[in-house]
Amino acid sequence: MSDHEDKHEESLFEKISEKVKGHDLSSSSSDSDDDKPSESSMKAKVFRLFGRERPVHDVFGGGKQADIFLWRNKKISAGALGVATVIWVLFELLEYHLLTLVCHLLILALALLFLWSNAATFIHKSPPRIPEVQIPKDPVLEFAQALRFEINRGFAVLRDIASGRDLKKFLSVIAGLWVLSIVGSWCNFLTLFYIVFVLLHTLPVLYEKYEDKVDPLTEKAWHEIKKQYAVFDAKVLSKIPKRPLKEKEKEKKKD
């Protein structure tokens, strides 16, 4: 009887141990399954240019201006690009002056309207209806406030850079201004404005079309820039003496 009871206890113990092992295996498999979505979600995070997480249309603010830059309405986009091209040709290639162009356009418009108004009485037709043109108050004030806000923010950024708190920002701004000065020596302001205008009407729509090919290339370039900056930081920037923290805290209190 004792041998039979011992065998029965051993069989019960083996069953319990098998159940425990099975439970551990199932829990480990469930944990691994729980980890799979996290890994897939990590893989789903694709590098996007400028770290954007929204579509290109939303980056440009959506609405009509984004439709123009991304050629959603081809007539308006082509018209804006055509007007900019005509202005650039007039002032840059034909060397027309702004004051001369405005005066000639006003002379032509006034002469046509004057002749039409006087000729209408002889040919028994109604004279032209010249609309009353007035500049609305609210849009002008909104534009002025937005411009004031942007100018003040620019002054605050320049002040922050000049205070010596962020060396990285200082070097990036200096490099950007230096590149801009070189570009400015190649062409005048109107040509530079026209180039930027054309780029705004071409690069975003091309990027939206080929973003899956452009983003991996920019990711490689960004990693390379980070490596070069790390080398530059280790060899140059880290050796520049920094101001003590107490002085920085005093300046922050004064601000």
Side-chain angles (χ1 to χ4, degrees):
M1 290 292 289
S2 61
D3 294 336
H4 180 70
E5 289 178 355
D6 292 338
K7 288 180 181 180
H8 183 65
E9 289 177 357
E10 287 177 359
S11 63
L12 286 174
F13 180 74
E14 288 176 357
K15 288 180 180 180
I16 292 170
S17 61
E18 286 176 358
K19 286 183 179 180
V20 171
K21 287 179 181 178
H23 179 70
D24 292 338
L25 289 171
S26 63
S27 63
S28 62
S29 63
S30 65
D31 292 339
S32 62
D33 292 337
D34 292 338
D35 293 338
K36 285 180 181 178
S38 62
E39 292 176 359
S40 62
S41 64
M42 290 294 290
K43 290 179 181 178
K45 289 183 179 179
V46 183
F47 178 86
R48 294 298 181 189
L49 192 63
F50 305 120
R52 65 179 182 85
E53 297 180 355
R54 298 178 295 168
V56 182
H57 190 270
D58 293 340
V59 172
F60 278 91
K64 293 182 180 179
Q65 68 271 16
D67 292 339
I68 293 172
F69 288 133
L70 297 176
W71 291 75
R72 297 285 194 273
N73 192 333
K74 294 182 179 180
K75 291 183 179 179
I76 297 178
S77 300
L81 193 59
V83 169
T85 303
V86 169
I87 292 173
W88 180 75
V89 169
L90 283 174
F91 291 112
E92 187 63 25
L93 297 183
L94 302 180
E95 296 183 352
Y96 231 95
H97 297 287
L98 178 62
L99 183 61
T100 305
L101 179 63
V102 171
C103 290
H104 285 177
L105 289 176
L106 286 175
I107 289 170
L108 180 62
L110 291 173
L112 288 174
L113 290 172
F114 181 81
L115 291 174
W116 188 2
S117 299
N118 286 283
T121 57
F122 295 102
I123 59 178
H124 304 289
K125 287 189 176 181
S126 59
R129 294 180 180 179
I130 303 173
E132 250 184 74
V133 180
Q134 291 182 351
I135 298 175
K137 181 180 178 181
D138 293 336
V140 174
L141 292 177
E142 289 176 2
F143 176 77
Q145 288 178 356
L147 183 63
R148 172 180 168 274
F149 175 76
E150 294 297 332
I151 291 173
N152 288 335
R153 189 170 67 172
F155 284 151
V157 171
L158 292 175
R159 182 175 179 275
D160 186 56
I161 292 169
S163 63
R165 296 173 184 171
D166 194 345
L167 183 60
K168 187 190 293 186
K169 189 185 291 184
F170 170 76
L171 293 175
S172 61
V173 170
I174 293 298
L177 291 174
W178 180 68
V179 171
L180 191 61
S181 67
I182 293 175
V183 174
S185 64
W186 293 342
C187 56
N188 57 18
F189 179 76
L190 180 61
T191 302
L192 181 62
F193 179 80
Y194 177 69
I195 291 171
V196 172
F197 191 83
V198 172
L199 291 177
L200 284 173
H201 280 76
T202 52
L203 291 182
V205 66
L206 290 174
Y207 171 70
E208 188 182 37
K209 190 175 181 180
Y210 301 105
E211 61 179 340
D212 293 334
K213 297 179 180 180
V214 173
D215 287 335
L217 296 176
T218 53
E219 184 179 10
K220 292 179 181 178
W222 181 245
H223 286 317
E224 188 63 28
I225 290 171
K226 280 186 174 181
K227 288 180 183 178
Q228 297 299 327
Y229 178 79
V231 173
F232 180 72
D233 189 15
K235 292 183 177 180
V236 180
L237 298 181
S238 60
K239 296 180 181 179
I240 297 175
K242 297 180 179 179
R243 295 184 304 168
L245 293 173
K246 291 182 179 179
E247 293 183 5
K248 291 183 179 180
E249 290 177 356
K250 288 180 181 179
E251 287 188 0
K252 287 181 180 179
K253 288 180 180 178
K254 288 180 180 178
D255 296 337

